Amino acid sequence: MLSSAAGPLRVSLSLIVLFITLALPRPGSAQTIEPTPPEWVVDEAEGKHTVIFDVGDPVCAYRIIAEPGFMADRLAHVKGFTIHSSKAGFMDVSFTEVFVRLAKGTSRYHRWFDGSRRVRWELQEGRQKVHDGTWKVTTTPGGGSVTFTNTIQAKSSFHQPLFRWVQRATMKDIVKATRKHCGQGI
């Protein structure tokens, strides 16, 4: 009689072991967490675009915009820079850039930064009427979050649609390069 009760018990135990074996992760099959896609907010009337995206290394993400040399080494459209003056929290700098392989130009900016999380810039001279922005990095449990706001206005209304198209394309390239060099966060 004991042997007939052991039969169903063996079958039940075998099913439990099979279930547990299938449920446990196998080597090489680790689940990957997809990074959160960038979140875009566009105000076409103001020529203002904002993108919020996650990064793995917030220090790297800050440096990619705050430090001209670091920026030029990591952002393909930045071809060179000249620092005209620099003091604590302020920099007068010109960048030579090639936007979407169409237009090469040098623009001069006044930039303010706090050394760890926020950079703000205002165009002083360039092909645009306005090209101002902010780059704010916030530390998160998974790395960091960047809020990148860019406002652009052409000197003539005729060129505004082209400038906005270049703005969108360049911002996407900057997000992509930042996530490549600084990680995508989780």
Side-chain angles (χ1 to χ4, degrees):
M1 191 112 179
L2 186 58
S3 64
S4 65
L9 182 61
R10 275 191 209 140
V11 171
S12 296
L13 263 157
S14 296
L15 287 174
I16 291 170
V17 169
L18 178 64
F19 176 75
I20 290 171
T21 304
L22 292 174
L24 291 174
R26 292 180 298 278
S29 69
Q31 293 180 350
T32 57
I33 298 172
E34 289 296 318
T36 304
E39 176 187 332
W40 292 87
V41 179
V42 177
D43 180 349
E44 289 293 348
E46 296 292 320
K48 181 178 179 178
H49 290 106
T50 300
V51 60
I52 301 166
F53 62 98
D54 294 332
V55 293
D57 183 349
V59 173
C60 172
Y62 177 78
R63 290 183 67 205
I64 213 161
I65 294 298
E67 298 177 21
F70 200 75
M71 183 180 190
D73 287 344
R74 284 154 184 86
L75 301 181
H77 75 281
V78 178
K79 301 304 180 189
F81 64 93
T82 302
I83 298 173
H84 305 286
S85 68
S86 181
K87 60 184 179 181
F90 175 80
M91 186 179 293
D92 179 3
V93 60
S94 294
F95 289 100
T96 300
E97 301 167 286
V98 176
F99 297 103
V100 291
R101 300 182 188 160
L102 292 176
K104 181 178 181 179
T106 300
S107 299
R108 189 169 182 167
Y109 300 91
H110 282 175
R111 302 175 74 192
W112 296 267
F113 45 95
D114 67 10
S116 66
R117 61 179 206 92
R118 188 169 187 261
V119 180
R120 182 175 62 89
W121 58 92
E122 289 179 4
L123 179 71
Q124 300 301 303
E125 299 171 20
R127 298 177 106 179
Q128 314 89 340
K129 179 179 177 182
V130 174
H131 188 194
D132 302 343
T134 59
W135 180 271
K136 182 179 176 189
V137 180
T138 305
T139 301
T140 65
S145 175
V146 176
T147 302
F148 174 22
T149 301
N150 194 10
T151 303
I152 194 164
Q153 292 177 1
K155 289 181 179 176
S156 81
S157 59
F158 177 77
H159 292 111
Q160 189 65 19
L162 175 63
F163 274 65
R164 287 190 181 154
W165 176 76
V166 169
Q167 174 189 28
R168 282 189 296 271
T170 303
M171 286 181 77
K172 286 178 183 177
D173 288 347
I174 291 169
V175 170
K176 184 177 178 182
T178 301
R179 292 181 100 180
K180 174 185 173 189
H181 293 290
C182 302
Q184 296 189 37
I186 53 172

